[in-house]
Amino acid sequence: MGRLTTHVLDTALGRPAHGLTVELWSADGVMRKISSHVTNADGRIDGPILDGDAFEPGTYELRFFVGDYLKASGQALPEPLFLDIIPIRFGIAEADGHYHVPLLLSPFGYSTYRGS
């Protein structure tokens, strides 16, 4: 069975992003929220975000609520923040694949990739 996982690293502070809210949305046609999670001390979600019978090919979106995390991090930041909510839309084509979508974050930029 396939699964979807993520983790968030704060590259400005050089540590995992703890306490960051991540939502999973279905983006096939009408947007539909599937679940909401919060990163642990390692910057990861405890367990897969999507797996088992719920894991199906399609288009999805992860929404990373980085604004709340950045404000709580104690960094000196401008107001309004440059980044607030980061949406990453991606496709799942393999019903039995492992899709890992990490976020590398700083207050002024981010990157992502399909990890393993």
Side-chain angles (χ1 to χ4, degrees):
M1 289 292 225
R3 62 190 168 122
L4 171 65
T5 58
T6 189
H7 74 275
V8 184
L9 300 175
D10 185 329
T11 58
L13 297 178
R15 64 182 186 208
H18 175 254
L20 193 147
T21 299
V22 180
E23 292 179 351
L24 175 64
W25 289 71
S26 171
D28 281 332
V30 177
M31 295 296 290
R32 180 179 53 86
K33 183 176 168 182
I34 297 172
S35 60
S36 183
H37 310 269
V38 177
T39 57
N40 61 23
D42 195 32
R44 298 177 184 275
I45 305 298
D46 293 327
I49 297 171
L50 192 64
D51 66 350
D53 292 339
F55 189 88
E56 296 178 346
T59 304
Y60 295 88
E61 184 172 287
L62 285 170
R63 294 182 185 174
F64 296 86
F65 289 77
V66 302
D68 296 335
Y69 163 79
L70 290 169
K71 288 177 185 174
S73 71
Q75 299 176 66
L77 301 167
E79 189 61 45
L81 296 174
F82 180 66
L83 295 173
D84 185 19
I85 299 171
I86 298 173
I88 299 175
R89 190 168 294 186
F90 59 97
I92 291 177
E94 304 161 15
D96 61 348
H98 178 194
Y99 286 77
H100 183 68
V101 183
L103 182 71
L104 305 177
L105 169 67
S106 83
F108 300 101
Y110 65 92
S111 65
T112 189
Y113 54 94
R114 182 178 174 187
S116 58

